[in-house]
Amino acid sequence: MSNKYTFPKGFWWGSATSGPQSEGNFNKPHKSVFDYWYEIEPEAFFNKVGPEVTSNFYNSYKEDLAMLKEIGLNSFRTSIQWTRLIKDLETGEPDKDAIRFYNDVIDETIKNGMVPVMNLHHFDLPVELYDKYSGWESKHVVELFVKFAETAFKLFSDRVKYWTTFNEPMVVVEGQYIYQFHYPKVVDGKKAMQVLYNINLASAKAIKKFRELGFNKEGGQIGIVLNLTPAYPRSNSEEDLNASKIADTIFNYSFLDPAVKGEFPSLLVELLKEDDVLWEGTGEEIDIIKENTIDFLGVNYYQPRRVMAKKYIVEDEEYWMPHKYFDYYDMPGKRMNPYRGWEIYPQSMYDIAINIRDNYNNIPWYISENGMGVEGEEKYRDENGEIQDVYRIEFFEEHLQYLHKGIEEGSNCFGFHSWTPIDCWSWSNAYKNRYGYIGLDLETQTKKIKKSGKWIKEVSKNNGF
Ligand code: GAL
């Protein structure tokens, strides 16, 4: 059968997870902010399911990775947990068991025919660094992150050729410092903007270290994974357009511009200055950001952001908030994923592709996450016990069609990773919504391929559909 949509040669058909969402806490020398949050407030997590066991990857990685091969994946991203790899957070000295574990995970990934992509930070700051130094508010923590990164590069770069520094750093800013959906649930715009700056700096410094160590000369590449949520205005009025421009600048370009172009958007700097919430930084740091841009970009795309001009100007809010510049627009007739509460809008795949092509030097990039979280998938099991997740297949095919169009028009996209290979733990949503090609029975930890797992195997084999 010939394809309607064929993708470029060597295209990545893979899937992504992260350490804290799949491994379980077994043998970790430190606790992350999530481990700690669950200890003090288990009721904040769906059905009070915490991060202790998650999908048991720490114990079952061999079988799990073999299943990923079975569904035809040729690449796989996970993350190295800071709280697992590093025994001494100040010096960056690694933990022996963690070295064994990650070495084995990498070797097994390669043995199963998959390119390993390793990420270094997936929301999982060691809680001690929050207690001692206020976490990402501190430049000392930036230095400690670079030590952690250096340790990881030295241990694993002989086999890991694709590294990413951060996953969705904007979520750290929003969740921990503005909108209170991640511990420590601070509401403080000024601190939020310092964190935004410090994480950009941490990423650039880690990239600098990678290159100083010469791993780029041995075929290594380093990038970042950003959640891009393209802003769409309610109308083409000047006010609505301006609202969407500001939303894009704050939520997307505040990491995308420094990562790709080495500078913060001037509009962002102007607004923050005017509002007196600009970060503290030095000329030397700005140079580091300028000189250490990424080799490739990972884009997580789930949903767009609909905005409109502010209805009422609210002055004197106690804290600076990004939405002082726009209101969210509840567009009539939008398609929703009711479980996750996210709009479904596949067209953004094309818009992102063209934006990168035209405004970001057409840098090599890939979709590093895209997926559909569904609650209660058990009800879709057929008589053979296979989950018939046709909605997921349709979701992916629609998104891939728009991605394909962007690639046809010259966007430099080299792969598509779904979220996620095996159902995993989703932060405070825990196991509410399932995303995997492979289903997980949480009680027995048994894993079974869904219909979408068979679908991706065909897509990967045919390099399209
Ligand atoms: C992303 C995040 C993942 C996963 C996914 C689905 O924003 O990177 O860790 O939780 O959402 O909820």
Side-chain angles (χ1 to χ4, degrees):
M1 203 180 73
S2 67
N3 292 333
K4 195 160 170 208
Y5 304 97
T6 298
F7 285 78
K9 207 165 157 254
F11 204 68
W12 278 2
W13 296 104
S15 198
T17 187
S18 78
Q21 294 175 274
S22 62
E23 288 171 14
N25 279 346
F26 313 97
N27 284 333
K28 281 203 316 178
H30 300 277
K31 284 178 193 161
S32 74
V33 280
F34 278 91
D35 299 327
Y36 177 71
W37 183 19
Y38 179 69
E39 264 180 31
I40 57 165
E41 204 189 340
E43 61 283 2
F45 295 79
F46 186 78
N47 283 348
K48 295 194 194 165
V49 175
E52 302 113 313
V53 180
T54 63
S55 302
N56 196 37
F57 186 71
Y58 177 83
N59 297 305
S60 61
Y61 61 93
K62 282 210 169 102
E63 296 81 6
D64 291 359
L65 291 167
M67 284 187 101
L68 269 54
K69 177 186 180 170
E70 200 180 322
I71 60 168
L73 305 187
N74 61 17
S75 44
F76 167 61
R77 172 169 66 108
T78 186
S79 71
I80 293 176
Q81 299 196 66
W82 195 345
T83 51
R84 181 185 294 291
L85 183 64
I86 303 299
K87 193 162 90 189
D88 184 330
L89 297 171
E90 295 293 331
T91 64
E93 185 200 331
D95 177 82
K96 277 216 179 69
D97 179 61
I99 300 178
R100 174 208 54 86
F101 172 66
Y102 289 121
N103 266 330
D104 238 29
V105 166
I106 292 162
D107 292 344
E108 286 290 318
T109 301
I110 295 170
K111 211 171 90 190
N112 282 295
M114 295 178 285
V115 176
V117 184
M118 278 295 182
N119 176 49
L120 292 173
H121 192 81
H122 204 121
F123 317 157
D124 53 342
L125 179 83
V127 72
E128 285 147 86
L129 301 185
Y130 183 74
D131 295 339
K132 271 197 199 152
Y133 306 114
S134 305
W136 289 113
E137 294 163 50
S138 148
K139 300 253 169 100
H140 181 61
V141 169
V142 171
E143 295 311 317
L144 298 184
F145 175 75
V146 179
K147 285 188 187 165
F148 154 48
E150 177 175 357
T151 299
F153 297 152
K154 283 181 173 161
L155 285 167
F156 310 121
S157 281
D158 57 334
R159 286 150 295 151
V160 175
K161 300 298 174 192
Y162 292 89
W163 290 92
T164 56
T165 53
F166 285 83
N167 176 82
E168 304 192 346
M170 196 61 206
V171 169
V172 175
V173 178
E174 289 181 62
Q176 300 188 8
Y177 288 91
I178 300 176
Y179 298 128
Q180 293 182 286
F181 58 87
H182 286 174
Y183 178 85
K185 299 191 258 180
V186 174
V187 186
D188 189 323
K190 178 135 179 127
K191 284 183 180 168
M193 292 304 106
Q194 189 65 50
V195 166
L196 183 145
Y197 175 83
N198 286 356
I199 297 182
N200 271 297
L201 179 64
S203 179
K205 283 196 161 186
I207 293 173
K208 181 166 185 269
K209 183 57 79 183
F210 185 76
R211 292 180 183 149
E212 276 167 9
L213 293 167
F215 292 123
N216 55 329
K217 296 200 192 85
E218 297 169 12
Q221 299 200 33
I222 187 157
I224 194 167
V225 169
L226 301 179
N227 51 316
L228 298 185
T229 46
Y232 297 96
R234 170 184 53 186
S235 76
N236 281 331
S237 75
E238 200 185 314
E239 294 76 14
D240 284 347
L241 285 169
N242 194 42
S244 84
K245 188 169 155 195
I246 295 183
D248 263 336
T249 302
I250 294 176
F251 293 104
N252 298 322
Y253 305 152
S254 57
F255 279 100
L256 187 57
D257 283 28
V260 180
K261 301 177 179 169
E263 7 183 89
F264 290 97
S266 50
L267 175 61
L268 180 72
V269 175
E270 275 161 34
L271 292 178
L272 301 183
K273 247 190 210 155
E274 219 174 88
D275 293 344
D276 205 22
V277 291
L278 190 67
W279 50 73
E280 276 164 37
T282 67
E284 196 193 331
E285 290 166 354
I286 294 290
D287 287 345
I288 291 174
I289 292 171
K290 174 135 223 116
E291 285 154 18
N292 295 282
T293 55
I294 53 173
D295 297 318
F296 72 97
L297 174 70
V299 174
N300 294 356
Y301 172 67
Y302 290 93
Q303 56 167 342
R305 191 183 298 270
R306 306 266 173 205
V307 300
M308 59 187 183
K310 199 105 202 136
K311 254 199 222 119
Y312 309 104
I313 309 294
V314 194
E315 288 298 344
D316 295 332
E317 268 195 89
E318 194 178 351
Y319 289 110
W320 180 88
M321 287 280 172
H323 54 264
K324 76 177 265 196
Y325 290 106
F326 58 86
D327 278 335
Y328 283 101
Y329 172 49
D330 189 8
M331 187 177 79
K334 66 184 173 189
R335 253 171 91 188
M336 291 296 289
N337 169 352
Y339 312 101
R340 188 60 186 84
W342 283 346
E343 182 182 343
I344 298 176
Y345 188 66
Q347 288 88 331
S348 286
M349 292 292 247
Y350 173 78
D351 294 342
I352 289 171
I354 297 307
N355 190 18
I356 295 173
R357 183 194 70 185
D358 292 348
N359 302 312
Y360 292 90
N361 315 329
N362 207 10
I363 189 170
W365 69 285
Y366 80 115
I367 287 290
S368 39
E369 286 180 28
N370 173 241
M372 188 182 183
V374 172
E375 189 174 358
E377 283 199 314
E378 282 307 310
K379 62 176 174 285
Y380 300 111
R381 265 190 212 284
D382 69 3
E383 60 282 3
N384 303 316
E386 183 182 282
I387 291 176
Q388 301 298 302
D389 53 345
V390 272
Y391 40 85
R392 179 165 293 113
I393 297 172
E394 283 166 12
F395 177 97
F396 284 141
E397 288 192 345
E398 277 189 89
H399 282 77
L400 282 165
Q401 283 170 35
Y402 281 100
L403 181 62
H404 185 265
K405 184 164 145 65
I407 295 171
E408 289 279 281
E409 293 179 23
S411 191
N412 202 359
C413 172
F414 62 84
F416 177 85
H417 277 194
S418 72
W419 184 267
T420 189
I422 301 174
D423 287 345
C424 69
W425 188 75
S426 272
W427 316 111
S428 53
N429 273 335
Y431 280 91
K432 174 176 175 287
N433 302 315
R434 305 304 183 98
Y435 292 81
Y437 288 136
I438 297 167
L440 170 81
D441 179 327
L442 196 53
E443 259 152 49
T444 60
Q445 285 289 339
T446 36
K447 293 159 185 169
K448 197 164 168 12
I449 296 171
K450 303 178 193 173
K451 191 178 175 74
S452 61
K454 294 185 173 162
W455 167 84
I456 189 61
K457 183 172 188 158
E458 284 303 300
V459 174
S460 173
K461 192 174 87 196
N462 300 324
N463 198 27
F465 60 96

